[in-house]
């Protein structure tokens, strides 16, 4: 058996050598087409120059076609999930060998956002399905250790990484697919298992969960933002006002207001000679959407915050006079509790977000608060404290409403 | 994000150990945009601790260095004296009272900002983010700026956009490097006020060998947003180190022996310019 095997091997090698020789001969015969350097070595200097001239003429007449780097996804007019999946199907049925499937998957990954499918698990699975099953499974230890078919494995690892970055959690069907393609020892499998270990752990970790995807409507997002900020006080109520209900209001928008009974109480106890401030805009982010909000705030009540509360357990400073009896300590065991809203840097009465974030809408907010259970606001002076961005925005919005400013816009000038 | 103070908390579950535990941690993944996904896996020898990110500073001449060193000698001797005094005078605290919070970082102290360093990707010309750490009007530390994930197409960097604050390395006299000894504590307590986004807390525990130089433990810091201050308590056991890629997936308890720096980081991948603060 062994001898036979050796013989066969020899025959094979002989065949290989003869093949190689024939290839070499072929290459000699086709030197002028493929190998210009070889030409230069063999032929005389005059001849080479003429040849070069010929070549130049040739190139002027007929340009060799550039290697085809086409993005099939860029030419699609109707960019939807269906057309994306249809393109994958076309690729799969075009050729038995599915040539260039790695390049195709990379191109498909780059164009996912244009089709709006970057958060879709089904599409990722369809992309993995492009890979042939069973071909890339290592059959021995060395193949398994030295990353069998590295380009293909890296391609799928990159796909999984994109999923990971966008927070798309894979499922068990994907595991089965990857097992069929790369086998138990494949690197994409290791990546998949690691993802399935960690991603569910972080998925619901946030104490303020958000719906996925976020709603598009700004009012819904504003409601969610105010709701989230109001979790500090369980008695808080989020209400939506319409500025239509206010007399003399210029803007016609919504106002989302967050206020609790405790804040109402604090506001009614606020002295009339001290001003309250509308401050903002401040930013709050809900995943990748941001909302501007404003606060109704007063300066901190220093006399209340800094009254010395005696710690009865503190034995570091016992007042023990040398003569006479000790002075009895003032006991303040029964006192007003400090509210959550009485922060060190101010007392917060209410939070709001408006549709336009203009001064006028905030004025309507104060009026609406006054009508809805806070009559004290009519007596307290209310001051605006804006950071620069909103003022600029307000001017911008106001300028757009005037016809004069519209004409002075550079684009309209160009048209004239 | 505004950080007022940062404290540690002791509890009855003390961890007594003087060795660095081998950590069995798998590569970690977080909520989108939070924890970096692919750790650089290098089993080769590393030349320097900064892994190629050393800023090249031209040193002054040897003579100037000696003069400068002598000038600093006075302060260093003063520090050393205090250290010796403390060593002779004080007995080590063996029993920590449970539930007690010790303040380590307080922005209301003098020169509080000197303990922090702000870094962004723009420092090494790898991005365009801007960040600052300042004191706000109320005396709190205010970390603000704008994270920009505009990609720098140099063919090496895959993605950009981060802003980071970290504490300076703790040191003893004569410029000897040291570490926070938080072996007795088991929770990180912070009083913060954020903008509703998720931040990353990095705890850097540098080991002796080059494989352990870049060990960083992470956890996500969720901020509520809004005008109210927020107390955050995170047990150290929650932190995980995705850089230690061990294929055996198991969670090991993290032991506090060497904690060198502590940092907060904001990372952004999908949106271009994002103000925060």
């Amino acid at each position: 058996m062994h001898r036979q095997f050796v013989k066969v091997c020899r025959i094979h090698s002989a065949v290989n050598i003869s093949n190689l020789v024939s290839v070499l001969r072929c290459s000699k015969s086709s030197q002028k087409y493929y190998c210009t350097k070889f030409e230069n070595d063999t032929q005389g200097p005059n001849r080479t120059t003429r040849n070069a001239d010929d070549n130049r003429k040739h190139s002027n007449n007929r340009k060799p076609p550039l290697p085809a780097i086409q993005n099939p996804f860029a030419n699609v007019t109707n960019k939807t999930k269906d057309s994306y999946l249809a393109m994958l199907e076309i690729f799969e049925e075009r050729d038995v060998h599915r040539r260039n499937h790695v390049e195709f998957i990379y191109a498909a990954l780059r164009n996912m956002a244009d089709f709006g499918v970057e958060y879709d698990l089904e599409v990722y699975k369809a992309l993995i399905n492009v890979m042939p099953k069973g071909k890339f499974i290592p059959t021995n230890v060395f193949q398994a250790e030295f990353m069998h078919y590295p380009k293909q494995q890296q391609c799928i690892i990159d796909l999984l990484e994109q999923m990971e970055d966008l927070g798309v959690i894979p499922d068990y069907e994907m595991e089965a697919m990857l097992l069929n393609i790369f086998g138990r020892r494949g690197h994409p499998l290791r990546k998949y298992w690691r993802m399935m270990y960690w991603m569910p752990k972080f998925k619901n970790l946030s104490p303020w969960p958000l719906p996925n995807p976020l709603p598009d409507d700004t009012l819904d997002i504003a409601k969610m933002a105010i709701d989230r900020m109001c979790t500090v006080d369980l008695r808080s109520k989020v209400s939506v006002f319409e500025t239509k209900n206010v007399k003399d209001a210029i803007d016609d928008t919504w106002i989302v207001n967050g206020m609790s009974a405790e804040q109402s109480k604090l506001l009614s106890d606020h002295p009339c000679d001290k001003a309250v401030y509308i401050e903002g805009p401040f930013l709050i982010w809900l995943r990748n959407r941001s909302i501007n909000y404003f606060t109704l705030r007063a300066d901190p009540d220093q006399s209340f915050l800094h009254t010395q509360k005696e710690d009865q357990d503190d034995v570091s400073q016992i007042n023990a006079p040398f003569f006479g009896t000790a002075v009895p300590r003032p006991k303040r065991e029964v006192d007003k509790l400090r509210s959550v809203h009485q922060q060190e840097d101010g007392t917060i009465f209410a939070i709001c977000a408006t549709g336009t974030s203009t001064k006028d809408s905030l004025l309507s907010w104060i009026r609406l608060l006054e009508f809805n259970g806070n009559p004290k606001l009519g007596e307290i002076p209310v001051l605006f404290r804006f950071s620069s961005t909103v003022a600029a925005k307000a001017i911008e919005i106001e300028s757009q409403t005037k016809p004069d400013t519209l004409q002075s816009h550079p684009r309209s000038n160009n048209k004239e | 994000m505004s950080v007022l103070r940062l404290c540690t908390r002791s509890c009855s579950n003390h961890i007594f150990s003087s060795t660095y535990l081998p950590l069995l941690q798998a590569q970690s993944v977080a909520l989108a945009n939070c924890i970096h996904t692919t750790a650089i896996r290098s089993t080769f020898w590393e030349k320097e601790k900064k892994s190629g990110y050393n800023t090249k500073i031209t040193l002054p001449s040897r003579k100037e260095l000696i003069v400068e060193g002598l000038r600093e000698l006075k302060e260093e001797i003063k520090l050393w004296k205090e250290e010796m005094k403390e060593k002779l005078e004080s007995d080590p605290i063996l029993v920590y009272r449970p539930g007690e919070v010790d303040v380590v970082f307080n922005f209301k102290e003098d020169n509080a900002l000197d303990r922090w360093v702000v870094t962004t990707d723009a420092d090494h010309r790898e991005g365009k983010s801007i960040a600052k750490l300042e004191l706000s009007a109320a005396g709190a530390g205010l970390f603000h700026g704008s994270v920009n994930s505009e990609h720098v197409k140099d063919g090496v960097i895959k993605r950009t956009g981060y802003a980071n604050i970290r504490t300076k390395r703790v040191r003893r006299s004569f410029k000897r490097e040291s570490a926070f000894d938080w072996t007795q504590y088991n929770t990180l307590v912070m009083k913060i006020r954020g903008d509703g986004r998720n931040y990353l807390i990095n705890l850097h525990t540098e080991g002796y060998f080059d494989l352990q130089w870049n060990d960083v433990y992470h956890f996500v810091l969720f901020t509520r947003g809004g005008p109210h201050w927020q107390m955050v308590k995170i047990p150290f056991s929650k932190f995980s180190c995705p850089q230690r890629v061990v294929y055996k997936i198991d969670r090991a308890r993290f032991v506090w022996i060497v904690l060198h720096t502590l940092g907060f980081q904001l990372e952004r991948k999908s949106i271009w310019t994002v103000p925060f603060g």
Side-chain angles (χ1 to χ4, degrees):
Chain A
M1 279 292 283
H2 187 69
R3 270 182 197 170
Q4 271 181 357
F5 177 70
V6 171
K7 258 186 195 172
V8 169
C9 271
R10 271 181 196 160
I11 290 160
H12 265 287
S13 61
V15 167
N16 282 340
I17 287 162
S18 66
N19 271 344
L20 264 179
V21 171
S22 65
V23 165
L24 279 176
R25 270 178 206 151
C26 279
S27 67
K28 267 189 183 175
S29 65
S30 56
Q31 276 165 16
K32 57 183 170 183
Y33 298 114
Y34 295 107
C35 185
T36 48
K37 205 177 179 185
F38 209 72
E39 256 172 52
N40 290 345
D41 291 341
T42 50
Q43 290 169 340
N46 294 334
R47 271 197 160 187
T48 49
T49 49
R50 200 192 288 166
N51 249 3
D53 283 344
D54 284 350
N55 278 342
R56 248 176 243 158
K57 274 176 195 169
H58 219 68
S59 65
N60 282 337
N61 292 339
R62 184 174 57 87
K63 278 183 183 174
L66 286 165
I69 305 170
Q70 280 184 351
N71 185 0
F73 292 92
N75 305 327
V76 181
T77 49
N78 182 24
K79 293 192 172 180
T80 56
K81 185 186 169 186
D82 288 336
S83 61
Y84 193 90
L85 290 175
M87 292 202 57
L88 297 192
E89 241 172 66
I90 291 167
F91 178 80
E92 281 171 19
E93 285 165 11
R94 195 182 64 190
D95 187 7
V96 188
H97 305 292
R98 292 188 194 170
R99 288 204 172 87
N100 295 332
H101 61 270
V102 171
E103 288 81 359
F104 177 78
I105 290 173
Y106 274 124
L109 281 178
R110 271 199 303 278
N111 288 284
M112 272 182 133
D114 296 341
F115 287 79
V117 290
E118 73 268 42
Y119 296 103
D120 201 329
L121 178 63
E122 195 191 331
V123 173
Y124 285 104
K125 276 197 224 164
L127 272 176
I128 290 175
N129 206 24
V130 169
M131 288 269 174
K133 314 291 173 298
K135 294 282 177 192
F136 305 145
I137 296 174
T139 49
N140 58 47
V141 193
F142 299 103
Q143 286 178 351
E145 187 59 33
F146 292 104
M147 204 164 176
H148 202 37
Y149 286 95
K151 290 254 176 195
Q152 282 81 354
Q153 292 211 27
Q154 191 57 49
C155 175
I156 297 301
I157 289 171
D158 289 342
L159 181 141
L160 289 170
E161 198 187 330
Q162 185 175 324
M163 284 175 66
E164 200 178 23
D165 288 349
L166 298 174
V168 184
I169 300 181
D171 61 355
Y172 292 111
E173 195 191 350
M174 188 176 268
E175 185 189 20
M177 289 166 80
L178 290 173
L179 272 172
N180 284 333
I181 297 165
F182 295 108
R184 212 163 51 83
R185 301 278 176 204
H187 289 259
L189 254 298
R190 294 182 192 179
K191 171 99 186 157
Y192 165 87
W193 285 323
R194 233 170 280 137
M195 279 166 74
M196 281 299 264
Y197 178 75
W198 286 105
M199 288 180 85
K201 284 197 195 310
F202 288 100
K203 188 190 171 192
N204 296 320
L205 197 63
S206 174
W208 300 281
L210 290 168
N212 195 12
L214 278 177
D216 282 331
D217 190 20
T218 321
L219 176 59
D220 289 341
I221 290 173
K223 268 189 222 162
M224 272 155 52
I226 299 290
D227 205 27
R228 177 172 177 162
M229 284 187 277
C230 285
T231 49
V232 75
D233 186 354
L234 287 176
R235 291 202 291 163
S236 291
K237 266 184 188 169
V238 178
S239 43
V240 183
F241 299 139
E242 294 287 336
T243 47
K244 274 183 277 180
N245 306 332
V246 184
K247 215 167 63 179
D248 304 333
I250 304 165
D251 290 6
D252 180 17
T253 50
W254 44 261
I255 296 166
V256 183
N257 172 54
M259 197 176 188
S260 76
E262 204 174 340
Q263 280 169 316
S264 241
K265 180 84 182 25
L266 281 171
L267 191 58
S268 64
D269 292 346
H270 189 77
C272 290
D273 54 338
K274 280 184 182 173
V276 290
Y277 306 100
I278 299 173
E279 288 190 343
F282 304 109
L283 261 188
I284 181 169
W285 287 88
L286 302 176
R287 209 171 282 134
N288 53 2
R289 295 287 303 268
S290 67
I291 280 281
N292 285 330
Y293 69 90
F294 297 84
T295 56
L296 186 67
R297 200 184 69 94
D299 286 331
D301 188 0
Q302 298 291 356
S303 59
F304 175 73
L305 288 181
H306 294 284
T307 43
Q308 291 284 321
K309 299 257 178 1
E310 286 283 338
D311 184 7
Q312 299 290 325
D313 296 330
D314 186 15
V315 288
S316 62
Q317 287 183 331
I318 296 175
N319 189 11
F322 198 70
F323 298 106
T325 52
V327 184
R329 287 174 156 194
K331 283 183 182 174
R332 300 189 47 136
E333 279 164 359
V334 181
D335 201 356
K336 266 187 198 169
L337 270 179
R338 185 179 162 181
S339 158
V340 205
H341 306 288
Q342 284 172 308
Q343 303 269 311
E344 277 169 32
D345 48 357
T347 310
I348 296 136
F349 296 123
I351 313 167
C352 91
T354 74
T356 52
S357 292
T358 51
K359 231 173 189 175
D360 181 66
S361 62
L362 291 169
L363 210 61
S364 315
W365 174 47
I366 296 300
R367 296 254 177 82
L368 285 161
L369 279 183
E370 193 186 334
F371 296 140
N372 289 292
N374 301 297
K376 189 80 182 282
L377 262 178
E379 300 161 32
I380 305 170
V382 180
L383 301 178
F384 282 95
R385 254 192 212 166
F386 276 172
S387 46
S388 59
T389 48
V390 134
K393 207 173 187 179
I395 290 164
E396 192 186 306
I397 292 163
E398 279 166 19
S399 68
Q400 276 177 6
T401 53
K402 289 176 188 170
D404 299 346
T405 46
L406 263 182
Q407 276 180 359
S408 64
H409 201 264
R411 269 188 196 171
S412 55
N413 279 342
N414 284 341
K415 274 178 190 174
E416 283 166 19
Chain B
M1 182 187 62
S2 318
V3 183
L4 178 65
R5 63 171 191 217
L6 201 66
C7 1
T8 50
R9 183 175 202 206
S10 72
C11 206
S12 51
N13 301 329
H14 297 315
I15 308 160
F16 288 104
S17 173
S18 58
T19 50
Y20 200 81
L21 260 199
L23 293 152
L24 302 170
Q25 290 289 341
Q27 195 175 14
S28 135
V29 179
L31 260 152
N33 308 329
C34 255
I35 290 181
H36 206 278
T37 52
T38 38
I40 299 160
R41 274 187 286 152
S42 162
T43 46
F44 290 100
W45 169 68
E46 279 190 57
K47 203 161 72 179
E48 39 153 11
K49 287 189 176 177
K50 289 273 190 172
S51 309
Y53 280 92
N54 244 338
T55 38
K56 278 166 193 152
I57 304 162
T58 45
L59 285 172
S61 67
R62 180 146 298 186
K63 192 188 154 193
E64 281 172 40
L65 279 175
I66 290 168
V67 172
E68 186 74 17
L70 285 172
R71 206 173 289 153
E72 286 187 10
L73 195 63
K74 205 178 162 187
E75 286 296 311
E76 297 300 317
I77 288 172
K78 214 182 269 175
L79 263 178
W80 178 76
K81 237 185 208 171
E82 274 169 28
E83 275 169 23
M84 288 330 258
K85 222 186 252 176
E86 198 179 339
K87 202 175 180 183
L88 291 169
E89 277 179 358
S90 62
D91 300 321
I93 305 167
L94 291 175
V95 180
Y96 282 71
R97 283 181 291 185
E100 200 162 83
V101 178
D102 290 335
V103 180
V104 180
F105 302 102
N106 189 349
F107 279 103
K108 297 208 166 161
E109 285 171 359
D110 298 340
N111 304 326
L113 292 184
D114 293 350
R115 299 180 71 180
W116 296 86
V117 180
V118 182
T119 53
T120 60
D121 50 5
D123 295 347
H124 296 283
R125 296 186 175 185
E126 292 183 346
K128 293 167 186 173
S129 306
I130 308 159
K132 269 183 194 169
L133 179 66
E134 289 171 338
L135 286 182
S136 71
L142 177 65
F143 177 43
H144 66 105
S146 133
V147 170
N148 191 336
S149 67
E150 195 181 328
H151 194 226
V152 181
K153 286 174 184 164
D154 63 349
V156 181
I157 298 157
K158 208 171 173 184
R159 45 173 100 90
T160 46
Y162 77 86
N164 182 40
I165 50 169
R166 60 182 279 177
T167 59
K168 279 183 190 166
R169 179 83 191 252
V170 203
R171 69 175 186 92
R172 289 185 289 162
S173 56
F174 304 113
K175 313 273 177 187
R176 287 171 296 171
E177 285 181 336
S178 174
F180 290 115
D181 185 15
W182 287 354
T183 39
Q184 303 288 342
Y185 300 94
N186 72 352
T187 313
L188 191 70
V189 181
M190 286 172 286
K191 193 178 174 192
I192 58 152
R193 189 159 71 175
D195 59 352
R197 305 178 66 186
N198 307 333
Y199 291 76
L200 197 64
I201 306 178
N202 296 329
L203 302 170
H204 188 187
T205 61
E206 189 186 305
Y208 178 78
F209 298 105
D210 60 350
L211 269 177
Q212 301 165 335
W213 282 348
N214 294 321
D215 281 4
V216 181
Y217 286 77
H218 308 291
F219 196 71
V220 194
L221 173 67
F222 296 99
T223 60
R224 182 182 48 223
H228 299 87
W229 288 94
Q230 175 189 351
M231 288 296 276
V232 182
K233 293 175 189 173
I234 304 171
F236 287 139
S237 60
K238 288 278 176 192
F239 284 82
S240 59
C241 180
Q243 258 119 351
R244 319 240 87 214
V245 178
V246 181
Y247 288 129
K248 193 172 173 184
I249 290 173
D250 188 12
R251 296 200 81 185
R253 179 176 274 239
F254 174 47
V255 174
W256 289 98
I257 298 303
V258 272
L259 177 82
H260 298 291
T261 54
L262 181 142
F264 297 88
Q265 195 178 352
L266 178 66
E267 226 178 305
R268 201 64 210 160
K269 285 166 194 166
S270 55
I271 291 181
W272 278 42
T273 316
V274 183
F276 65 95

